[in-house]
Amino acid sequence: MPPVASPLSPVELLLKYDQPVPRYTSYPTAAAFSGAVGEGELKAQLAQPSGAPLSLYVHVPFCRHACWYCGCNRVTTQLGSRVVEPYLASLAQELELISAVLPQRRRLAQLHWGGGTPNYLNSQETAQLWALIAQHFDLEPELEASIEVNPEFLSRDAVLQLRQLGFNRLSFGIQDADPRVQQAVNRVVPVEQLRRVMGWLREAAFASVNVDLICGLPLQTPERFRHTLDLVQELHPDRISLFSFAYLPQQLPLQRRIAAADLPTARDRITMLEDAQQQLGGSGYEAIGMDHYALAGDSLARAARQGRLHRNFQGYTTGGELELLGVGPTAISQFPHLFSQNLRDLKQWRRPWSRAGCRWSGVWRCGSRRCWSGAN
């Protein structure tokens, strides 16, 4: 018997079942982590011999100013090197502690700098952090090295330096190109700067460029968002992340600067997502999972077509089989039978590392597959 067609349109169905659910971007969710698993389990995991390459995530927590939509772990400061220098010193200690536990020097197949704003670091600090990583790991010739940047503070020289160091993938946030929406979230980047940035990235021959968009921001309308989509089509990035704004002012005090009355309606949000699907789909982009798009020739799109697509705490990835090691405050590590997360607070993460006492002071919560309790 053929299925009975629904009398409701797709939009009406989406509105009917529009209910809040737990965030899908990270699994297990933060609420599932437990302090019952800690230093001993993580050290035992790292001590296991392995010839397989690693994926390394480095969390750089600093931002020059706060974007009011943001839910990331960041430290908003104008102190520059005065906060970066002690951060790099603590990161060096963390990497030394990890290297002391590893039974052999590991290779890196993937490297990602996230934040915060990794290009908060100046050119000397950026080179110092890259050298620090190379001091502890072997970088594979085909290393996939990616970095997140704020285009507002990006220059041509900085782009060329990142490429010269070895980065071949880069992601920058547009969120929305309309000046009124940008003002409403305290993230103002002129369209001409976005065009300049993309030009520099093409000049530097980055293998893949991603841009971030957010649907549901204050003062957004379907018409205004279509102009943003027009700009994205003009810039023609290799990948697009289109996130839906989660308005959580009780949990995220910064979002209290956003008036709930300024947010678009649920119907307008769905219209904007539909417009994105139509415009991007008509421009050579393939839908990847729930919130990403990629050009048909991009490695992410090929992985999706071939059934090799994975998702970890960084998002969709082609290297889901790799163990993920996270360093820096709030960084998450992911192994087949263990998840762990570093302390969120920068000052607590920076407490002196005790090697003799084997006190892993930077790790605060871990979990395994079964009840996150350390059992396989």
Side-chain angles (χ1 to χ4, degrees), residues 274-290:
E274 278 196 318
D275 288 344
Q277 176 73 22
Q278 293 177 4
Q279 284 191 238
L280 299 177
S283 303
Y285 289 94
E286 297 182 4
I288 306 295
M290 298 180 68

Side-chain angles (χ1 to χ4, degrees), residues 42 67 70-71 88 106 140 143 145 164 169 179 192 208 246 262 283 311 331-332 352 355 357 365-366 372:
L42 181 56
C67 304
C70 184
L88 290 175
R106 298 290 294 271
E140 290 197 335
L143 174 70
Q164 184 178 24
R169 297 180 178 274
E192 284 308 310
S208 181
D262 288 340
S283 303
R311 189 170 186 119
I332 293 176
R355 299 178 193 168
R365 57 186 186 181
C366 305
W372 323 116

Side-chain angles (χ1 to χ4, degrees), residues 2 5 8 31 40 44 67-68 83 85 131 156 159 161 166 169 205 212 236 369 373:
L8 300 178
C67 304
W68 295 340
V83 293
E85 288 179 5
R156 178 177 178 272
V159 167
Q161 183 205 21
R169 297 180 178 274
D212 291 341
H236 203 58
R369 279 184 176 173
S373 63

Side-chain angles (χ1 to χ4, degrees), residues 77 111 125 150 172 197 229 241 248 288 305 313 315 331:
T77 176
L111 171 65
E125 294 158 349
N150 182 342
F172 67 92
V197 168
L229 293 172
S241 302
L248 303 168
I288 306 295
R305 290 194 301 268
F313 291 97

Side-chain angles (χ1 to χ4, degrees), residues 15-322:
L15 290 171
K16 178 180 178 180
Y17 295 106
D18 183 23
Q19 298 292 329
V21 296
R23 291 288 290 174
Y24 58 86
T25 51
S26 298
Y27 181 82
T29 62
F33 281 75
S34 165
V37 179
E39 168 194 350
E41 286 78 9
L42 181 56
K43 290 178 67 175
Q45 173 64 57
L46 293 173
Q48 294 181 15
S50 174
L54 277 172
S55 177
L56 180 69
Y57 172 74
V58 182
H59 189 75
V60 183
F62 308 109
C63 291
R64 288 180 176 84
H65 59 75
C67 304
W68 295 340
Y69 57 80
C70 184
C72 299
N73 179 39
R74 78 268 177 270
V75 177
T76 304
T77 176
Q78 302 294 325
L79 293 178
S81 295
R82 290 176 59 186
V83 293
V84 172
E85 288 179 5
Y87 159 78
L88 290 175
S90 296
L91 197 66
Q93 290 180 305
E94 182 177 14
L95 287 169
E96 287 177 6
L97 186 60
I98 290 170
S99 294
V101 176
L102 294 174
Q104 63 198 84
R105 188 176 173 91
R106 298 290 294 271
R107 295 174 292 123
L108 292 187
Q110 289 184 334
L111 171 65
H112 182 73
W113 294 12
T117 308
N119 63 314
Y120 184 94
L121 278 58
N122 63 33
S123 59
Q124 180 181 350
E125 294 158 349
T126 300
Q128 182 181 347
L129 178 51
W130 183 277
L132 183 61
I133 294 167
Q135 177 184 336
H136 291 275
F137 300 97
D138 293 327
L139 309 183
E140 290 197 335
E142 301 300 321
L143 174 70
E144 182 180 294
S146 60
I147 184 171
E148 301 170 17
V149 300
N150 182 342
E152 181 181 0
F153 304 107
L154 202 59
S155 67
R156 178 177 178 272
D157 287 345
V159 167
L160 296 177
Q161 183 205 21
L162 293 173
R163 188 69 186 93
Q164 184 178 24
L165 283 174
F167 286 103
N168 46 35
R169 297 180 178 274
L170 184 143
S171 178
F172 67 92
I174 295 177
Q175 322 313 352
D176 191 290
D178 188 278
R180 291 158 291 192
V181 179
Q182 292 185 355
Q183 289 283 354
V185 296
N186 198 38
R187 170 67 176 248
V188 179
V189 185
V191 168
E192 284 308 310
Q193 172 65 0
L194 297 172
R195 291 191 174 108
R196 282 192 292 267
V197 168
M198 185 58 79
W200 297 331
L201 295 173
R202 296 307 186 199
E203 176 188 353
F206 274 79
S208 181
V209 177
N210 175 85
V211 301
D212 291 341
L213 304 177
I214 299 180
C215 175
L217 293 175
L219 303 186
Q220 266 185 343
T221 66
E223 181 182 5
R224 291 173 184 173
F225 195 62
R226 278 192 287 270
H227 292 310
T228 295
L229 293 172
D230 290 340
L231 173 66
V232 171
Q233 289 175 286
E234 173 196 331
L235 298 178
H236 203 58
D238 303 275
R239 300 177 182 179
I240 300 163
S241 302
L242 175 53
F243 301 110
S244 187
F245 176 50
Y247 184 58
L248 303 168
Q250 278 68 43
Q251 294 97 314
L252 302 171
L254 199 63
Q255 292 188 359
R256 295 171 191 168
R257 297 171 180 255
I258 296 174
D262 288 340
L263 298 175
T265 65
R267 183 176 290 274
D268 279 347
R269 288 172 68 127
I270 292 173
T271 299
M272 287 186 272
L273 292 172
E274 278 196 318
D275 288 344
Q277 176 73 22
Q278 293 177 4
Q279 284 191 238
L280 299 177
S283 303
Y285 289 94
E286 297 182 4
I288 306 295
M290 298 180 68
D291 49 21
H292 281 57
Y293 294 85
L295 292 173
D298 187 85
S299 60
L300 204 63
R302 292 197 302 271
R305 290 194 301 268
Q306 298 167 4
R308 298 185 293 104
L309 190 66
H310 298 268
R311 189 170 186 119
N312 58 23
F313 291 97
Q314 298 172 25
Y316 290 107
T317 176
T318 58
E321 75 285 355
L322 299 173

Side-chain angles (χ1 to χ4, degrees), residues 60 180 327 349-350:
V60 183
R180 291 158 291 192
V327 295
W349 171 78
R350 281 180 49 201

